[in-house]
């Protein structure tokens, strides 16, 4: 019996690996929710829709950039800015990861493409009542090839 336990202990990691290279990952309900919220945020940002942006962010929202980590951009300044690093294109939902830490805190990460640049974005969302609101956004350049999806393109 002991040898069976040892065998299973070592064999389980190999059995858990995906054997098929064409494996399709399905979106979870949580990823679908935050994909929708991130899309609303991006659409409002591109349209300079301050009402929607205000509705989707907390009062103490700020942006922290890797290039100026000690100088956060407060919500009011962010609402007024033209957002040179985030004016265009898309975020990439297949690269999105969502981690729920409790019923009212979620951390969402994804790749955002803007022009010829790519940014790695980490958003912290807080639930206020029944609504999710963005509390803080961290951004950093994403590099030339940032994911398996990007490498295929």
């Amino acid at each position: 019996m002991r040898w069976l336990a040892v065998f299973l202990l070592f064999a389980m990691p190999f059995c858990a690996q995906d054997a098929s290279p064409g494996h399709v990952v399905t979106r979870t309900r949580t990823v679908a929710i935050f994909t929708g919220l991130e899309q609303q945020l991006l659409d409002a940002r591109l349209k300079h829709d301050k009402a929607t942006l205000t509705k989707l962010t907390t009062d103490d929202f700020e942006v922290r950039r890797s290039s100026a980590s000690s100088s956060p951009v407060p919500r009011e300044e962010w609402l007024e800015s033209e957002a040179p690093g985030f004016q265009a294109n898309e975020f990439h939902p297949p690269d999105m990861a969502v981690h729920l830490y409790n019923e009212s805190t979620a951390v969402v990460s994804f790749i955002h493409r803007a022009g010829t640049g790519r940014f790695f974005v980490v958003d912290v969302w807080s639930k206020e009542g029944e609504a999710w609101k963005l509390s803080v956004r961290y951004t950093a350049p994403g590099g030339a090839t940032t994911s398996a999806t990007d490498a295929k393109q």
Side-chain angles (χ1 to χ4, degrees):
M1 188 64 147
R2 187 176 193 174
W3 66 269
L4 179 60
V6 171
F7 173 77
L8 290 174
L9 180 67
F10 288 104
M12 285 178 69
F14 297 107
C15 295
Q17 292 179 354
D18 181 21
S20 63
H23 176 70
V24 176
V25 178
T26 58
R27 291 188 337 169
T28 65
R29 179 177 177 268
T30 306
V31 169
I33 289 168
F34 285 97
T35 296
L37 287 168
E38 294 288 354
Q39 188 64 58
Q40 288 177 43
L41 192 70
L42 178 61
D43 292 345
R45 190 77 171 127
L46 294 174
K47 294 174 186 172
H48 304 287
D49 179 353
K50 291 180 188 174
T52 299
L53 292 170
T54 299
K55 185 180 91 171
L56 290 171
T57 55
T58 60
D59 292 340
D60 61 347
F61 168 79
E62 65 183 20
V63 176
R64 295 220 171 226
R65 298 162 298 175
S66 63
S67 60
S69 59
S70 63
S71 301
V73 178
R75 179 169 82 169
E76 290 307 315
E77 186 177 328
W78 180 74
L79 289 171
E80 297 298 325
S81 73
E82 290 298 316
F86 280 84
Q87 280 186 346
N89 300 72
E90 62 187 81
F91 69 98
H92 208 241
D95 294 324
M96 181 179 280
V98 177
H99 299 277
L100 289 173
Y101 287 99
N102 54 46
E103 293 179 9
S104 61
T105 305
V107 176
V108 178
S109 62
F110 57 92
I111 301 299
H112 176 88
R113 293 189 181 113
T116 59
R118 289 188 178 131
F119 298 89
F120 181 67
V121 177
V122 177
D123 283 346
V124 179
W125 291 83
S126 302
K127 199 164 193 182
E128 293 183 3
E130 293 300 311
W132 285 100
K133 293 191 172 199
L134 184 57
S135 300
V136 64
R137 168 169 279 183
Y138 299 92
T139 64
T145 302
T146 55
S147 73
T149 304
D150 289 337
K152 293 177 187 174
Q153 295 179 354

